[in-house]
């Protein structure tokens, strides 16, 4: 619920202050929050806090005669902190001249005479009129997390992407284009009266004077500057540490395969822990529209699928750690042990590796320096709004590139799809090709490859090679979808993989004399079981798997059936 707008009254005389507050509450207390301050200094501190929290201020009602400053000066100083608020001066008869001059000087909206009794006659009519005026132009503020940063900062991109993929709504305030963003950052960087005393601890120990963007501002007014993802995760209530040392089933990876395993495992009574490095949903979570998943004829976004799956897994009691990376695996007798990114360990009898794949890099000059600064791997749906009105490029001819092009075309002026082949027919589903053809601002550059990316601090130019012709075109955003590779190095020598790093399971395991090499059990490995009994693999990371959401989900569910069998036999 959006916070109620604030009416702030300021007076050094405690009796007058209480009386104004009482009368304001009586008439406006339902609709507005009435706050009071006994000095200009404390009022400024309060306004700073309200600004940090994004709470709207509708009215400032200040007494003209105060010891350390007068009401006019206060209202003038308060303007940048509450620019939209109506400013009203409370004066004695003797100060009427000063009040009239102030109307011109600091654009005071009204002055009221003390005493104002009866308020029905001398206070409410004027204030109601001003507040109605304020309401007519008031737009409720964004009531959630705000991020202040530079569009081209990879750190800011990472935070936006992380929040977006965890379906946490946020408002992006760009320092390059938004005056509000710059004002807010400047205010946070100023040591306020309060900061000097108490807030050093309140703001996580950051020295407000050396505030490095991106800054993440929470609805309660607290903030963190340039946070690491685990720090941010703890602020938004995501767990990164396991509750117990031992589980029935440990799932590595929170894509469709891992989430399905968590849902089926937990719903069938297994104590299940899922560890996800970035955000639940995996590759599917970055899809703008999955149209071929059973039961969703009009499609659904990957974020929606992930959100539903997470809710379902939690409902059945699965524990999710995110963002948390698995860095190592070992066996200890019948126990299977995982080492996490923070050095802690969790163990179980069964582990499911469902770590999927990651995008292959372009590998052209400039790529490393500009990744996250205009060159993006994957759909990065959170970047769509910043591409509004621009000419953007999508590299790749697969379904993921096609989906992204259709999505970005809603925001960008034009979308150019760069493909090496003669067209899209070999690599993209027909339904997506039909969609692309129907969007006028999408074009396909066939027999073309990216040779270099350049720019000073962010992407500015892309060099394209088509047949024998090379040309350099201006570009601000390039989204790359050129195939994917598994990242399975953390499995060390324990789990066998093929030459590309995909995990071998069941019938695919190399055999000697009819049996998998060094396999210790009398039975053969199950369909999704690796060369280590009790360590299973599902989804895109598995050798020769079908790279589809439905098959990943199916394999995750099947892996749970094998888990039951394995637990029963051990
Ligand atoms: C943009 C896009 C659009 C797509 N559209 C469709 C579509 O319309 N229909 C369709 O059927 N398929 C689609 N796909 C393919 C589909 O998304 C994948 O086949 C599916 O997501 C594979 O699921 P998975 O669980 O095996 O792996 P992934 O989805 O890759 O998930 C693996 C997860 O493991 C995590 N992880 C990796 N290593 C670690 C580690 N060491 N520790 C902890 N966590 C780790 C990763 O962060 C990731 O979240 C699309 C793919 C993309 C990229």
């Amino acid at each position: 619920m959006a916070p109620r707008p604030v009416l702030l009254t300021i007076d050094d005389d405690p009796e007058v202050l209480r009386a104004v507050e009482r009368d304001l509450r009586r008439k406006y207390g339902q609709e507005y929050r009435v706050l009071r301050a006994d000095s200009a200094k404390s009022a400024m501190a309060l306004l700073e806090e309200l600004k940090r929290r994004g709470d709207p201020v509708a009215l400032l009602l200040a007494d003209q005669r105060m010891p350390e400053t007068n009401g006019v000066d206060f209202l003038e100083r308060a303007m940048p902190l509450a620019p939209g608020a109506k400013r009203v001066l409370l004066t004695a008869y003797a100060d009427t001249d000063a009040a009239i001059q102030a109307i011109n000087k600091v654009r005071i909206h009204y002055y009221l005479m003390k005493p104002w009794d009866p308020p029905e006659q001398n206070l409410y009519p004027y204030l109601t009129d001003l507040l109605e005026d304020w309401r007519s132009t008031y737009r409720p503020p964004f009531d959630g997390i705000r991020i202040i940063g530079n569009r081209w900062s990879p750190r800011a991109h990472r935070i936006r992407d992380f929040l977006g993929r965890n379906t946490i709504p946020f408002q992006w305030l760009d320092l390059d284009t938004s005056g509000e963003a710059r004002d807010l950052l400047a205010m946070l960087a100023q040591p306020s009266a309060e900061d000097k005393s108490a807030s050093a601890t309140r703001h996580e120990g950051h020295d407000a004077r050396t505030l490095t963007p991106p800054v993440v501002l929470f609805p309660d007014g607290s903030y963190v500057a340039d946070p690491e993802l685990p720090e941010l995760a703890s602020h938004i209530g995501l767990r990164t540490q396991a509750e117990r040392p031992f589980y029935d089933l440990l799932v590595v990876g929170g894509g469709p395969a891992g989430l399905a395993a968590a849902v089926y495992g937990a719903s069938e009574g297994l104590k299940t822990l899922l560890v996800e490095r970035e955000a639940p949903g995996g590759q599917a979570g970055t899809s703008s529209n999955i149209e071929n998943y059973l039961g969703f004829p009009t499609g659904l976004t990957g974020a929606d699928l992930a959100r539903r799956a997470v809710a379902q897994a939690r409902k059945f009691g699965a524990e999710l750690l995110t963002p948390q990376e698995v860095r190592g695996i070992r066996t200890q007798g019948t126990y299977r042990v995982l080492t996490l990114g923070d050095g802690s360990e969790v163990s179980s009898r069964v582990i499911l590796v469902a770590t999927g794949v990651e995008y292959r890099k372009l590998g052209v000059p400039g790529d490393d320096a500009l990744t996250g600064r205009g060159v993006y791997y994957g759909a990065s749906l959170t970047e769509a709004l910043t591409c509004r009105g621009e000419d953007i490029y999508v590299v790749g001819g697969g379904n993921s590139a096609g989906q992204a092009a259709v999505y970005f075309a809603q925001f960008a002026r034009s979308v150019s799809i760069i493909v090496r082949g003669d067209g899209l027919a070999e690599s993209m589903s027909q339904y997506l090709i039909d969609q692309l053809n129907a969007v006028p601002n999408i074009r396909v550059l066939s027999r073309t490859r990216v040779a270099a990316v350049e720019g000073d601090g962010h992407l500015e130019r892309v060099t394209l090679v088509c047949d024998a012709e090379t040309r350099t075109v201006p570009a601000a955003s390039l989204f790359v979808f050129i195939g994917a590779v598994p990242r399975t190095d953390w499995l060390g020598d324990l789990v066998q993989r093929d030459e590309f790093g995909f995990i071998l399971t069941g019938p695919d395991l190399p055999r000697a004399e009819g049996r998998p090499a060094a396999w210790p059990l009398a039975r053969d490995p199950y369909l999704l079981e690796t060369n280590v009994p009790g360590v299973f693999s599902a989804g895109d990371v598995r050798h020769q798997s079908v790279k589809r959401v439905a098959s990943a989900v199916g394999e995750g569910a099947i892996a749970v059936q094998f888990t039951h069998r394995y637990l029963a036999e051990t």
Side-chain angles (χ1 to χ4, degrees):
M1 229 170 62
R4 279 178 300 157
V6 167
L7 311 183
L8 175 60
T9 174
I10 306 106
D11 205 318
D12 65 305
D13 181 333
E15 263 179 50
V16 177
L17 188 61
R18 267 197 301 275
V20 181
E21 186 194 17
R22 181 201 58 216
D23 286 345
L24 289 179
R25 264 190 217 283
R26 188 148 59 86
K27 173 80 176 164
Y28 305 109
Q30 293 275 320
E31 242 183 304
Y32 296 87
R33 219 157 16 123
V34 179
L35 301 180
R36 63 177 189 196
D38 60 6
S39 68
K41 196 172 150 205
S42 58
M44 290 300 282
L46 192 57
L47 287 175
E48 281 177 8
E49 184 64 31
L50 292 169
K51 176 130 183 143
R52 258 197 292 273
R53 294 155 60 121
D55 289 0
V57 181
L59 177 80
L60 296 172
L61 179 56
D63 196 352
Q64 169 64 358
R65 288 207 179 186
M66 292 187 278
E68 88 249 34
T69 183
N70 63 49
V72 174
D73 286 345
F74 164 75
L75 290 172
E76 190 172 12
R77 278 201 289 136
M79 259 161 70
L81 289 172
K86 296 292 174 191
R87 294 175 289 280
V88 177
L89 201 61
L90 203 54
T91 63
Y93 182 74
D95 294 325
T96 317
D97 279 352
I100 291 169
Q101 280 170 20
I103 287 180
N104 299 325
K105 191 177 151 217
V106 291
R107 283 175 285 143
I108 281 178
H109 297 98
Y110 214 82
Y111 69 91
L112 291 166
M113 293 286 201
K114 289 194 277 190
W116 58 89
D117 265 338
E120 285 71 15
Q121 193 176 318
N122 297 326
L123 188 69
Y124 299 149
Y126 308 105
L127 293 188
T128 301
D129 195 37
L130 286 173
L131 289 173
E132 273 171 9
D133 194 33
W134 180 83
R135 279 247 174 237
S136 68
T137 54
Y138 165 64
R139 297 279 166 277
F142 179 78
D143 182 26
I145 292 175
R146 289 169 291 167
I147 307 170
I148 310 168
N150 299 97
R151 173 179 172 187
W152 303 117
S153 150
R155 307 269 309 172
H157 166 69
R158 193 155 175 253
I159 289 173
R160 292 204 307 263
D161 200 46
F162 173 72
L163 291 178
R165 293 187 57 193
N166 277 288
T167 61
I168 311 279
F170 65 87
Q171 186 184 34
W172 167 241
L173 297 170
D174 194 326
L175 285 166
D176 295 328
T177 55
S178 156
E180 187 193 347
R182 290 189 291 271
D183 287 353
L184 205 51
L185 188 70
M187 193 202 78
L188 295 174
Q190 288 287 328
S192 69
E194 247 188 295
D195 278 328
K196 282 180 193 142
S197 52
S199 75
T201 47
R202 190 164 49 89
H203 297 312
E204 309 292 312
H206 285 293
D207 178 350
R209 280 152 290 185
T210 57
L211 213 53
T212 314
V215 173
V216 182
L217 205 53
F218 301 99
D220 67 358
S222 63
Y223 59 85
V224 282
D226 197 18
E228 293 300 332
L229 296 186
E231 184 188 3
L232 186 56
S234 73
H235 274 270
I236 55 181
L238 298 176
R239 292 184 58 89
T240 55
Q241 276 166 0
E243 265 174 33
R244 52 176 77 218
F246 188 82
Y247 293 82
D248 296 325
L249 172 63
L250 291 177
V251 181
V252 190
L259 285 169
V263 168
Y264 286 101
S267 70
E268 291 165 20
L270 300 176
K271 295 214 167 22
T272 306
L273 176 76
L274 181 149
V275 187
E276 165 54 49
R277 185 172 52 186
E278 290 167 13
Q283 297 167 71
T286 67
S287 167
S288 53
N289 195 11
I290 300 168
E291 289 193 70
N292 55 2
Y293 188 52
L294 189 73
F296 295 87
T298 54
L300 84 168
T301 64
D304 199 16
L305 181 70
R307 189 178 50 75
R308 287 161 186 258
V310 167
Q312 212 171 0
R314 289 213 167 105
K315 180 186 94 171
F316 289 122
E319 211 183 298
L320 269 66
L321 304 189
T322 177
Q324 180 62 273
E325 188 173 17
V326 175
R327 297 250 172 95
I329 183 170
R330 65 185 173 87
T331 59
Q332 193 175 331
T334 55
Y335 295 118
R336 275 77 190 102
V337 185
L338 292 176
T339 307
L340 305 185
D342 60 5
S344 62
E345 289 191 332
V346 275
S347 52
S348 72
R349 221 80 66 86
V350 177
I351 288 175
L352 173 65
V353 182
T355 48
V357 289
E358 280 179 18
Y359 286 103
R360 184 173 288 136
K361 296 278 282 179
L362 268 178
V364 298
D367 178 14
D368 281 343
L370 296 174
T371 296
R373 299 173 186 269
V375 175
Y376 303 104
Y377 284 88
S380 286
L381 300 181
T382 46
E383 294 302 328
L385 286 177
T386 57
C387 298
R388 200 178 281 282
E390 293 180 353
D391 299 315
I392 69 159
Y393 290 83
V394 169
V395 191
N399 281 359
S400 47
Q403 274 181 13
V406 172
Y407 181 74
F408 285 121
Q410 300 171 73
F411 306 93
R413 184 168 57 179
S414 75
V415 179
S416 304
I417 304 178
I418 301 167
V419 276
R420 280 173 177 263
D422 284 333
L424 300 171
E426 301 158 23
S427 48
M428 199 179 283
S429 299
Q430 191 55 45
Y431 81 91
L432 265 174
I433 297 178
D434 294 343
Q435 281 184 18
L436 292 177
N437 289 339
V439 183
N441 60 338
I442 296 181
R443 63 178 178 155
V444 181
L445 304 178
S446 46
R447 296 193 311 285
T448 304
R449 65 182 172 84
V450 175
V453 286
E454 297 166 58
D456 185 9
H458 62 91
L459 179 70
E460 289 171 301
R461 287 170 303 278
V462 176
T463 301
L464 302 174
V465 178
C466 175
D467 297 331
E469 191 195 322
T470 301
R471 66 193 167 109
T472 299
V473 293
S477 300
L478 181 84
F479 296 91
V480 185
F481 304 82
I482 51 168
V485 284
R487 297 263 182 257
T488 46
D489 296 350
W490 61 274
L491 292 165
D493 294 333
L494 190 70
V495 177
Q496 285 181 14
R497 277 99 74 195
D498 68 13
E499 57 183 314
F500 304 106
F502 290 96
I503 296 173
L504 296 165
T505 56
D508 297 325
L509 285 164
R511 288 171 176 256
E513 292 163 14
R515 286 185 53 75
W519 175 253
L521 304 182
R523 66 161 173 83
D524 259 8
Y526 293 127
L527 186 67
L528 300 179
E529 199 166 23
T530 67
N531 59 304
V532 183
V535 176
F536 295 86
S537 178
D540 281 16
V541 72
R542 208 174 60 75
H543 172 74
Q544 300 235 310
S545 59
V546 181
K547 307 289 185 282
R548 287 281 181 274
V549 175
S551 41
V553 167
E555 289 190 10
I558 295 169
V560 172
Q561 290 315 303
F562 290 128
T563 300
H564 286 302
R565 278 200 223 169
Y566 178 82
L567 290 175
E569 73 195 20
T570 54

